[in-house]
Amino acid sequence: MSLIVGVAADGARIPISRDRVARIARSVLRSERVGNALLSITFVSNPAIAALNRRHLRRRGTTDVIAFGFRGEAARPRRGARAPVVGDVYIAPAVARESARAHRIGVREEVVRLIVHGTLHVLGHDHPEGEGRVRSPMWRKQERLVKRLAQGRG
C-alpha cells in the first residue's frame, strides 16, 4: 500500500503545515479504502486559481478549490489489481480565508474542508451546484471527515 501525497505552496501562504495537509489527504484516501495513490496538493494565489478556473472549467474569477483526477489507459489495472488513484488538487488560501470569515469559522477548518473536498473530487465524488450541494451525499461525507480531521484526529 502506497499513499503518496506531495504538498507545495506556489506563491501562497498555507495556514497549516505541509505535513498536516498530507496527513489529512491520506486519511481521506484511507477512509475511502484507497490502497495506492499519488496525489499532489498545491496552494496557489488568487490569480493562479482564476487562470486554472478559466482554462480548465471555463469559468471566470477565483474559486476555492479545483481538483483533477486522472484515469486512463496507463492507469488500467492488471486483473485483480486496483488502478492507482492519481490526482492534483489546487487550493486558494486567500479565498479560504474570505470564506472562513463569511461563515465565522477558523481558516484552518476551512482549509481542512478544501483538502477533503478536493480529495473526494479526485476520487470521483461529485455534488450538484446550488442549494442541493450541502444536502448531497458527497457533502455529508465531507463534513463527517472535516469534523474528525479538523480536531486533529486522523
Side-chain angles (χ1 to χ4, degrees):
M1 179 159 89
S2 181
L3 301 176
I4 300 169
V5 179
V7 181
D10 187 16
R13 277 190 30 227
I14 308 172
I16 60 178
S17 74
R18 291 177 192 207
D19 184 55
R20 180 143 162 66
V21 171
R23 281 195 323 262
I24 290 164
R26 282 192 299 270
S27 290
V28 174
L29 294 167
R30 280 192 297 274
S31 77
E32 292 294 296
R33 294 175 171 68
V34 173
N36 291 300
L38 180 56
L39 182 67
S40 74
I41 299 176
T42 306
F43 290 84
V44 297
S45 66
N46 281 2
I49 200 92
L52 286 166
N53 203 18
R54 183 176 50 255
R55 185 177 318 123
H56 296 286
L57 302 177
R58 303 204 187 325
R59 297 180 184 154
R60 298 182 73 108
T62 60
T63 189
D64 49 8
V65 61
I66 295 176
F68 302 99
F70 301 99
R71 304 191 200 307
E73 293 301 316
R76 208 168 255 174
R78 290 176 310 220
R79 189 168 186 228
R82 292 179 108 180
V85 170
V86 179
D88 294 328
V89 177
Y90 297 91
I91 297 172
V95 176
R97 276 189 274 286
E98 292 170 18
S99 183
R101 235 180 275 121
H103 292 99
R104 295 187 171 150
I105 60 171
V107 68
R108 287 180 182 94
E109 178 183 335
E110 185 63 9
V111 169
V112 169
R113 179 170 286 104
L114 297 177
I115 296 164
V116 171
H117 191 89
T119 304
L120 289 174
H121 271 311
V122 165
L123 295 174
H125 293 278
D126 208 358
H127 55 78
E129 293 300 320
E131 291 180 25
R133 178 181 183 150
V134 297
R135 290 187 302 276
S136 71
M138 178 188 170
W139 197 270
R140 290 194 305 268
K141 180 180 292 223
Q142 167 192 295
E143 292 306 303
R144 280 192 304 272
L145 287 163
V146 168
K147 185 175 183 180
R148 179 170 53 92
L149 296 169
Q151 297 172 354
R153 296 179 304 192

